[in-house]
Amino acid sequence: MTHRTTASRVIYLGGLGRSGTTLLERLLGEIPGVAPLGEVVHLWARGVLAGEPCGCGAPFPACPFWREVGETAFGGWTPTLAERVLTLRHRLDRTRRIPRIGHPDLAEYTGIYQRLYDAAAVTAGASVVVDSGKHASLAFCLAAAGVDVHVVHVVRDPRAVAHSWRKTVERPEDGRPMTRWGPARTAAHWTAQNLALDLLAARGVRVTRLRYEDLLADPAAALATLAGTLGLATALPFLTGTTARLTTAHTASGNPMRFTVGPVQLRRDDSWRSGLSRRHRRLVTALTWPLRLRYGYGKAMA
Ligand SMILES: [Zn+2]
């Protein structure tokens, strides 16, 4: 791994799926100098190996942005490289587990990510990239290896998250249904994922927590505050009231919202209040205590 003085800064969005990380990535991606990359952890299997579409609509291998990134970083994308990254990931970057520092493969693994981030920043003409990979483990690997990473930990009311995971959603990539979880399983994942992200801060990683509900209550104020904390421009011309104008983003993988272009209404989705049964609501409420209270999702919000 070669350390460049021009190494790009990385904003890493952490949180359990369906908590608003894709929306936040799209909003941050409209700030000048910021390049949103999607969930880079999934780029290797879904983009390089399976050829799934980029956020611009082109299949990953045909997207001009990613083609240039691959050429610059690695002399081109190859199945050998993707399989190597997947092997390394299996060894030291396990979902929701904080890896050991000093693993002999850590420098090779994080070096690949740093090269990818740097090439993406250069290609996009940006100084900051956003990786919405969500899992705490990759953020910890990057920080442990000295990558300039700032984690934004997005949390959302677990009852809303549980309701979202019960819904049937089709993947735009191939029309297949996305994974569904029952409320108890979502509650367990919600707790594990958020605890792991909380642990990052305790291990010295820069972490800024953002509640999905606060972002949606006043998008301009919440985003400007966050942008200031992250050292980004705080003028947000793409935001008018609760309407955001989104341009095409070359996000390699992530939830269906990554394909959205044009005006988007920023509104809280509170459909869980009528859609989640009393029994499931009680179950999630009980299983996610006390972390839920720490994040301010008390009885008043039930
Ligand atoms: Zn693209």
Side-chain angles (χ1 to χ4, degrees), residues 54 56 63 250:
C54 170
C56 70
C63 166
H250 295 287

Side-chain angles (χ1 to χ4, degrees), residues 8-11 25 29 34-41 43 54-55 60 65-66 69 113 116-121 124 126 128-133 249-254 258:
S8 55
R9 290 203 291 128
V10 181
I11 295 171
E25 172 169 44
V34 180
L37 306 181
E39 298 175 23
V40 181
V41 68
L43 170 153
C54 170
F60 180 85
F65 173 79
W66 283 111
V69 172
Y113 275 90
L116 186 155
Y117 294 141
D118 289 348
V128 181
V129 297
V130 183
D131 181 342
S132 59
H250 295 287
T251 49
S253 192
R258 72 195 176 96

Side-chain angles (χ1 to χ4, degrees), residues 128-146:
V128 181
V129 297
V130 183
D131 181 342
S132 59
K134 297 188 291 204
H135 305 147
S137 54
L138 176 55
F140 188 71
C141 287
L142 295 171

Side-chain angles (χ1 to χ4, degrees), residues 67-231:
R67 189 176 280 185
E68 193 175 329
V69 172
E71 286 294 331
T72 305
F74 311 111
W77 303 106
T78 62
T80 309
L81 170 69
E83 278 151 16
R84 178 65 182 158
V85 174
L86 293 172
T87 300
L88 292 171
R89 181 189 172 200
H90 186 73
R91 255 180 228 163
L92 52 89
D93 173 12
R94 308 297 289 270
T95 306
R96 289 181 288 276
R97 189 184 302 169
I98 302 295
R100 282 184 301 133
I101 307 178
H103 191 288
D105 292 330
L106 186 67
E108 180 189 355
Y109 184 62
T110 56
I112 291 169
Y113 275 90
Q114 181 78 72
R115 274 152 67 188
L116 186 155
Y117 294 141
D118 289 348
V122 169
T123 304
S127 56
V128 181
V129 297
V130 183
D131 181 342
S132 59
K134 297 188 291 204
H135 305 147
S137 54
L138 176 55
F140 188 71
C141 287
L142 295 171
V147 175
D148 184 355
V149 62
H150 190 139
V151 174
V152 180
H153 176 191
V154 186
V155 292
R156 185 181 181 188
D157 189 309
R159 293 156 289 202
V161 177
H163 180 56
S164 181
W165 276 102
R166 291 193 74 230
K167 287 190 221 165
T168 304
V169 181
E170 213 173 70
R171 296 181 79 232
E173 288 89 344
D174 53 17
R176 287 184 311 186
M178 291 177 78
T179 307
R180 293 178 65 194
W181 290 338
R185 187 157 184 199
T186 301
H189 284 301
W190 186 90
T191 299
Q193 183 81 299
N194 285 309
L195 267 180
L197 285 157
D198 275 349
L199 191 59
L200 287 180
R203 297 279 190 94
V205 181
R206 277 179 300 170
V207 179
T208 300
R209 194 187 298 148
L210 177 69
R211 298 195 334 159
Y212 164 87
E213 293 80 6
D214 295 337
L215 174 64
L216 275 293
D218 189 346
L223 202 58
T225 301
L226 179 66
T229 304
L230 296 170

